[in-house]
Amino acid sequence: MIDFDAVSSDDPYPSTAFPRESLADGTLIEPKSPAVEETPTVTSPRAAVPAEVLSPLASGEKAKARDILAAIRILKEIEHDRRDATQQERKALSRFGGFGAVALSIFPDPVTSTFKDASWQAIGEELKTLLSPEEYDSAKRTTFNAFYTSPTVMSAMHQALGRLGVPGNGIVLEPGCGTGNFMSMGQEGTRFIGVEMDSISGRIARALHPGQDIRIENFRDSKLPEDRLDAVIGNVPFADVKLDYRGQKLSLHDFFFAKSVDTLRPGGVLALVTSHFTLDKQNAAIREYLASKADFVGAIRLPSDAFKREGTAVVTDIVFLRKRPLGEPAKHADADWLGVGQLPVEGAPVAVNRYFLNHPEMVLGEWSRKDTLYGREGYSVTSNGNLAEQLQAAIGRLPEFTPSPAQEEDDASLRRNHSVGGFTPPPPLPHITEGSFFVRPDRVICQILAGQPEPVVYGGNALKASGNLTSKRLAALVELRDIARRVLQSQNEGWPDKDRIDARRELNWAYDRFVGIYGPINKTTFGETADGTVIRRMPNLVKFREDPDAMLVMSLEEYDEATGKAAKSAIMQKDVVGKTPPITHVNSAEEGLLVSLNQRGAVDLPFIGELYGKPRNQVIAELGDLIFPDPEAKAWQTADAYLSGNVRHKLAAAEQAGTAYARNVKALRNVQPEDVLPGDIDANLGAPWIPVSDIQAFAAELFHVAPSSIPVAHLVKDAVWSFEPDYAAKASVAATSEYGSSRANGTWLLELALNMKSPTIYDTVMNGDREDRVVNQEATLSAREKQKQIKEKFRSWVFTDPERTERLVRLYNDTYNNLRPRLFDGSHLDFPGMNQTIHLRPHQNDAVWRCMSSGNTLLAHVVGAGKTYTMAAAGMKMKQAGLRKKTHVRRTQSLAGAVCPRIRPALPQRQVACRRQGGFDARAPQIPHRKDRQRRMGRHRYDAQFF
């Protein structure tokens, strides 16, 4: 299958500079994280699809479209019925030829959103009704250039595998497998691993080949072993997309070749159909990479019309490689295959691989400049005979191999491992990311910067692993990092004891070698400048501290700066992490609640019911007063959360919600704070909780006027009181004499008191031609004394009336005495991924749970109470529960050096960035690469970042 979009343009690094690809429907493909590799899951061998089930593809465009619709209908039916396809249904499924040949007709034009004509519109709309929106988008996105391979070519390629020594019961990988047509043509007993990105094609492949391992996923992300498979066969995709593979930027089809050849065991064979550009392009980097791993045993150039019936006309090659045992010299069928020469075709020179110039018999047709895919540029190969007979003859010219006894023994061992559960350590997990150092095959040390591998330059020189002291030391640190991650992988994946011990032993050897040559990893020296400033240097970590995993390497030892001695940390001696088995069953609803709070961070009744195996109503009844339904949030909450906070408001809401919340009302009444009595309430003038009506009543009584004579207003938002007294109020005896004076009216003094202001009386005096205002001390003191009397009068008045007292006490308590502190209990938490030698204390667990529940937490703990580990654990748990995407921790610079070395051992599996003192100090713009580090910090998906 030529699936040109089988792999998106996703960048394996979160901050790659590779351009995002725009798909035919305008969708942008976003980057994804790198895949994890594992051993394949291979079931018992099954025979290839019987010949009577196979059916040739239709030749007409409309007929192909109808076959696609029929296959999708059958697929939906058998999936709905949860059954295997019948022989007749499998025959119809096998006629699914992919969307590539009809993509321009069956889908609307991406620009105009119209179909070719009404008949195609009917077919296209029927397709859309058959597929879910996700399936329809996947079909448009991944198969616009998907074309299936000719059965004649597939049959010949399988014949070539046998000639090149692939055993009949071997394990064969088919990348971009489509519906599994190569599997259909395979020998009986062959076991296949098929990888297909398109959901429809992959599910049809599963229906046609129920005994094979069909993976519906991006090939870039597929978990495949290395040096284990017997063969790779298929038709690789081609698109103008760049992917990164082990530090090299490869085109899409080159990526398929590189990853595929690395899965082969020594003696394993690769047979892939690819565009002629793989062999003809001037840049020989991919050919050189393949030549470093495998022997080139031949290639066949097919005529341009080899896939005409399948819907495309393009010059393609079948490339054959045979994996070479490590250390053996290369034995290429023609060493010139790495180069390109000029071939005159109809008077114009074209670039052609030298293998075909030396072996024209492997070109199955005549060179031509007609009907080229790219107009005047390039060439075509016109057929000049029977393709099947020509393929037979070309395959007969390939070298012949037989499986060696060692390979047959390996095959038996592999099958035995699958059958009895033997263990073979999987390949290392990929971890090269933004900022990471790695050593290229040519021993050049590189670093990923802005998504691109760049040679490391230090002191004006490019560093090579075999170079000077700095280069060798950096390469040794990279090796330590990789082995340390391997040790963590062995513990996380639950390897057998022997294999975990072997991984740890290798780490100890590498560490001992490093210390023997360079001294402790964290070796620290101190110096002093002319002005007395102390300079702290760590010479062994020069440059390597920029690696995101530098703290992992630094945590391999516990270094004493005072004595200069280092001791191996726990990871060198025992397991510090482990595979946490998933909880699939609980014995009580209460246990299920704890699991829900730990994993989901909330009360998830369906999840609890699934774990407990009981219906929702029974779970609720059993939990009883441990949970309560919140009538306002429309969600269930734990008792400690619901019966805390503003419990008076919650009580009012529960009472209004009706009898269904009677249990809530009863529980909330029991936790209401005890009322504050009038003697403990400071009811002063200007208190915002006192109603305007009471202030107006007091003013009317104070000045012996009707309430209407002294209207009062209160702007709550701005905390401003205002009076508009009429003449009667201002002229009253109380306002002018008893509670006021001729210079300070009582109504004015009351208004000032409500606004928390004191009166000041000014006199105007003439200073020459200028008027000056001066404070009249006597009048001011008199006015302030009158205001004091007003305030005292109010305090004695406010609680004299029983009805008013009861109302104000209730109002005060409802407004200010309504909170019940929450008691946080984090005893249910566990911390997968944290160093198992570290155990948090109960108060730390409670603090972590408070951070998760409240979001805004002050850890006012004393020195030595464990705030550092609490912060680390809280950040990890909040990210695990989906409450945070990234944790930023800011500490004073004086503590940065002490905090980071403690965080890394506590969280050995997490991506933690700890920047050295001053690295992000805005006051230090002269620090080299400060802005680059800031950008990297923003791009990289660190679990925690310490500033």
Side-chain angles (χ1 to χ4, degrees):
M1 169 183 181
I2 305 178
D3 189 352
F4 289 82
D5 287 332
V7 175
S8 73
S9 60
D10 299 346
D11 179 1
Y13 303 115
S15 58
T16 180
F18 301 157
R20 297 182 297 174
E21 288 298 309
S22 179
L23 303 170
D25 61 354
T27 304
L28 291 176
I29 310 175
E30 296 292 346
K32 297 182 180 178
S33 58
V36 178
E37 300 178 347
E38 66 177 11
T39 53
T41 301
V42 182
T43 57
S44 57
R46 294 286 299 267
V49 177
E52 59 270 17
V53 169
L54 298 177
S55 183
L57 298 179
S59 57
E61 198 175 22
K62 287 280 180 66
K64 291 177 181 178
R66 294 189 187 98
D67 286 345
I68 289 173
L69 297 179
I72 293 175
R73 280 193 290 267
I74 292 173
L75 174 66
K76 295 284 187 176
E77 182 178 342
I78 63 176
E79 288 180 341
H80 178 270
D81 297 342
R82 297 184 179 180
R83 60 176 176 83
D84 292 338
T86 65
Q87 182 168 316
Q88 191 65 27
E89 288 171 335
R90 293 176 72 189
K91 185 174 182 179
L93 290 173
S94 71
R95 292 177 63 86
F96 179 88
F99 295 96
V102 296
L104 298 178
S105 301
I106 203 169
F107 295 115
D109 186 288
V111 177
T112 64
S113 299
T114 59
F115 290 88
K116 269 188 174 182
D117 53 41
S119 62
W120 276 112
Q121 182 174 355
I123 294 175
E125 290 176 351
E126 183 178 358
L127 173 66
K128 195 167 186 177
T129 60
L130 289 174
L131 302 178
S132 68
E134 294 78 11
E135 292 169 340
Y136 188 77
D137 291 340
S138 174
K140 287 201 301 180
R141 180 173 63 250
T142 61
T143 56
F144 250 91
N145 292 305
F147 302 90
Y148 281 27
T149 311
S150 162
T152 303
V153 174
M154 291 189 292
S155 177
M157 291 173 67
H158 277 290
Q159 182 183 347
L161 291 186
R163 181 178 179 86
L164 297 174
V166 177
N169 60 349
I171 301 177
V172 180
L173 168 68
E174 184 184 352
C177 68
T179 60
N181 287 338
F182 275 95
M183 300 179 198
S184 302
M185 308 293 290
Q187 297 183 49
E188 182 175 349
T190 300
R191 293 166 294 172
F192 281 93
I193 301 172
V195 182
E196 172 56 42
M197 187 175 179
D198 176 52
S199 172
I200 294 296
S201 301
R203 284 148 57 195
I204 291 177
R206 285 178 176 172
L208 289 172
H209 311 280
Q212 306 296 357
D213 183 2
I214 309 297
R215 306 179 182 186
I216 303 175
E217 58 191 10
N218 191 318
F219 181 68
R220 200 280 318 275
D221 296 333
S222 190
K223 304 173 184 179
L224 297 170
E226 290 193 4
D227 304 318
R228 296 286 300 281
L229 304 184
D230 297 289
V232 178
I233 192 170
N235 192 330
V236 301
F238 181 88
D240 187 16
V241 171
K242 297 293 184 181
L243 296 175
D244 194 278
Y245 186 71
R246 299 187 175 178
Q248 299 185 60
K249 189 164 63 174
L250 303 177
S251 61
L252 185 58
H253 52 293
D254 290 348
F255 176 90
F256 268 65
F257 267 89
K259 184 169 182 175
S260 296
V261 80
D262 285 336
T263 66
L264 292 174
R265 66 164 72 243
V269 176
L270 177 145
L272 290 177
V273 176
T274 181
S275 161
H276 72 92
F277 291 107
T278 300
L279 295 181
D280 285 352
K281 60 185 175 183
Q282 295 287 346
N283 186 346
I286 184 59
R287 298 195 292 274
E288 292 171 353
Y289 178 83
L290 297 174
S292 69
K293 300 291 187 79
D295 292 330
F296 174 77
V297 294
I300 302 173
R301 179 145 292 177
L302 300 174
S304 302
D305 61 356
F307 302 135
K308 185 175 181 180
R309 185 179 182 87
E310 285 67 35
T312 186
V314 61
V315 179
T316 53
D317 297 332
I318 309 174
V319 178
F320 299 98
L321 302 173
R322 190 169 187 268
K323 190 70 170 284
R324 187 169 57 248
L326 188 65
E328 285 195 6
K331 299 177 182 177
H332 301 301
D334 186 342
D336 286 346
W337 82 285
L338 295 174
V340 175
Q342 295 293 321
L343 175 70
V345 177
E346 299 179 3
V350 295
V352 175
N353 189 278
R354 291 189 182 278
Y355 173 78
F356 293 118
L357 298 181
N358 299 340
H359 301 274
E361 69 278 6
M362 302 303 281
V363 180
L364 308 187
E366 302 290 339
W367 303 100
S368 174
R369 298 275 290 171
K370 298 177 180 179
D371 302 324
T372 61
L373 184 63
Y374 302 103
R376 294 184 177 182
E377 297 184 5
Y379 60 86
S380 63
V381 177
T382 58
S383 58
N384 59 359
N386 184 283
L387 180 59
E389 295 176 357
Q390 290 176 317
L391 280 170
Q392 290 289 328
I395 290 170
R397 301 185 190 105
L398 297 175
E400 189 169 3
F401 299 93
T402 56
S404 64
Q407 183 176 341
E408 291 177 348
E409 184 178 343
D410 288 344
D411 289 342
S413 173
L414 180 59
R415 288 190 294 274
R416 187 163 54 251
N417 284 341
H418 280 298
S419 61
V420 302
F423 179 80
T424 300
L429 297 173
H431 57 271
I432 303 301
T433 183
E434 181 67 22
S436 295
F437 294 96
F438 65 95
V439 181
R440 281 194 334 215
D442 60 0
R443 308 300 291 163
V444 173
I445 302 176
C446 294
Q447 185 180 19
I448 301 298
L449 297 174
Q452 306 293 333
E454 300 289 347
V456 177
V457 177
Y458 185 77
N461 300 316
L463 301 186
K464 295 192 69 171
S466 56
N468 57 23
L469 174 65
T470 302
S471 302
K472 293 178 180 178
R473 185 171 54 199
L474 182 57
L477 290 169
V478 170
E479 180 187 18
L480 272 174
R481 177 202 66 191
D482 295 343
I483 299 175
R485 292 190 65 93
R486 182 72 162 169
V487 170
L488 294 176
Q489 178 188 1
S490 71
Q491 297 171 15
N492 282 323
E493 296 181 354
W495 292 8
D497 289 345
K498 176 184 178 299
D499 297 278
R500 296 202 312 276
I501 293 172
D502 288 345
R504 191 158 51 241
R505 183 184 299 114
E506 184 180 358
L507 178 60
N508 275 273
W509 288 343
Y511 175 80
D512 292 339
R513 286 196 304 270
F514 184 93
V515 174
I517 299 173
Y518 307 107
I521 296 171
N522 297 285
K523 180 171 64 176
T524 305
T525 62
F526 296 90
E528 188 172 323
T529 62
D531 60 358
T533 303
V534 176
I535 300 176
R536 184 173 180 268
R537 296 186 178 92
M538 303 181 75
N540 279 343
L541 293 170
V542 167
K543 193 65 178 174
F544 185 71
R545 291 191 67 167
E546 297 178 11
D547 192 288
D549 282 318
M551 295 305 298
L552 171 62
V553 178
M554 295 169 68
S555 69
L556 296 179
E557 65 183 17
E558 296 175 0
Y559 181 74
D560 188 338
E561 293 183 353
T563 63
K565 295 182 179 180
K568 294 181 179 179
S569 62
I571 191 176
M572 312 280 279
Q573 305 161 28
K574 56 186 176 182
D575 290 353
V576 296
V577 295
K579 189 174 183 180
T580 303
I583 299 176
T584 58
H585 178 73
V586 294
N587 297 319
S588 67
E590 184 175 354
E591 288 182 14
L593 175 61
L594 296 180
V595 175
S596 175
L597 293 175
N598 180 51
Q599 297 186 8
R600 306 293 176 87
V603 179
D604 190 335
L605 290 177
F607 177 63
I608 298 173
E610 182 180 348
L611 294 175
Y612 191 26
K614 299 294 177 65
R616 174 189 175 95
N617 291 339
Q618 186 171 341
V619 170
I620 295 174
E622 187 172 330
L623 289 175
D625 289 339
L626 292 176
I627 60 172
F628 288 89
D630 188 334
E632 293 185 309
K634 306 299 182 183
W636 288 85
Q637 294 187 7
T638 58
D640 64 333
Y642 184 69
L643 301 179
S644 61
N646 191 341
V647 291
R648 296 191 189 277
H649 173 77
K650 291 182 179 180
L651 175 59
E655 290 174 339
Q656 294 176 3
T659 57
Y661 295 89
R663 186 167 65 92
N664 296 39
V665 172
K666 181 180 179 181
L668 286 167
R669 283 177 177 167
N670 291 333
V671 297
Q672 295 295 303
E674 186 177 353
D675 282 349
V676 177
L677 299 179
D680 298 321
I681 298 176
D682 289 330
N684 296 315
L685 280 172
W689 59 275
I690 299 178
V692 170
S693 59
D694 289 307
I695 299 297
Q696 188 174 16
F698 168 72
E701 185 174 330
L702 183 70
F703 299 123
H704 308 290
V705 295
S708 59
S709 295
I710 190 164
V712 180
H714 183 205
L715 188 59
V716 178
K717 181 179 179 182
D718 296 328
V720 174
W721 294 83
S722 60
F723 270 17
E724 292 186 7
D726 60 10
Y727 177 78
K730 290 181 179 180
S732 66
V733 174
T736 58
S737 177
E738 187 177 359
Y739 297 106
S741 67
S742 59
R743 299 292 301 274
N745 191 273
T747 58
W748 177 60
L749 295 176
L750 176 59
E751 183 177 11
L752 290 177
L754 286 170
N755 290 292
M756 307 298 176
K757 296 179 180 180
S758 297
T760 302
I761 308 299
Y762 294 92
D763 289 333
T764 302
V765 297
M766 297 300 296
N767 187 4
D769 297 334
R770 186 178 72 252
E771 290 185 353
D772 290 336
R773 298 178 69 221
V774 296
V775 176
N776 187 321
Q777 297 290 346
E778 183 179 353
T780 297
L781 290 176
S782 174
R784 290 180 179 178
E785 184 63 27
K786 296 293 184 181
Q787 187 186 60
K788 182 179 178 181
Q789 294 177 15
I790 294 174
K791 292 178 179 179
E792 291 175 350
K793 179 68 175 179
F794 179 78
R795 279 194 291 269
S796 64
W797 173 87
V798 68
F799 289 130
T800 55
D801 181 71
E803 183 276 331
R804 183 171 61 246
T805 299
E806 181 179 354
R807 177 168 48 80
L808 291 179
V809 167
R810 179 79 273 129
L811 178 62
Y812 177 87
N813 281 281
D814 288 347
T815 304
Y816 296 109
N817 185 29
N818 54 22
L819 300 179
R820 180 176 184 260
R822 179 176 176 180
L823 300 178
F824 294 89
D825 181 5
S827 59
H828 61 276
L829 297 176
D830 60 14
F831 301 94
M834 179 175 273
N835 191 325
Q836 294 176 349
T837 63
I838 296 175
H839 303 283
L840 298 186
R841 301 184 183 95
H843 77 274
Q844 291 175 299
N845 287 326
D846 296 345
V848 171
W849 180 237
R850 180 166 188 162
C851 291
M852 296 179 64
S853 304
S854 301
N856 187 0
T857 304
L858 170 65
L859 299 177
H861 297 171
V862 298
V863 175
K867 295 186 291 294
T868 298
Y869 283 163
T870 301
M871 287 189 304
M876 180 181 70
K877 286 299 294 184
M878 286 192 287
K879 184 168 185 180
Q880 174 190 329
L883 302 176
R884 296 289 185 276
K885 291 184 178 180
K886 190 181 295 185
T887 300
H888 290 258
V889 181
R890 289 187 175 272
R891 302 298 303 265
T892 59
Q893 291 191 4
S894 60
L895 294 177
V899 170
C900 291
R902 293 176 61 82
I903 291 293
R904 183 71 261 187
L907 305 174
Q909 303 178 80
R910 301 292 175 175
Q911 288 284 326
V912 179
C914 293
R915 297 307 178 189
R916 61 179 177 268
Q917 181 173 341
F920 286 95
D921 189 351
R923 298 166 296 179
Q926 73 279 7
I927 295 176
H929 311 303
R930 182 174 66 88
K931 292 184 178 179
D932 289 341
R933 293 197 190 103
Q934 288 175 319
R935 285 193 290 266
R936 191 185 312 158
M937 187 80 82
R939 290 192 301 257
H940 189 75
R941 297 176 183 174
Y942 291 109
D943 293 300
Q945 299 175 350
F946 285 79
F947 290 81

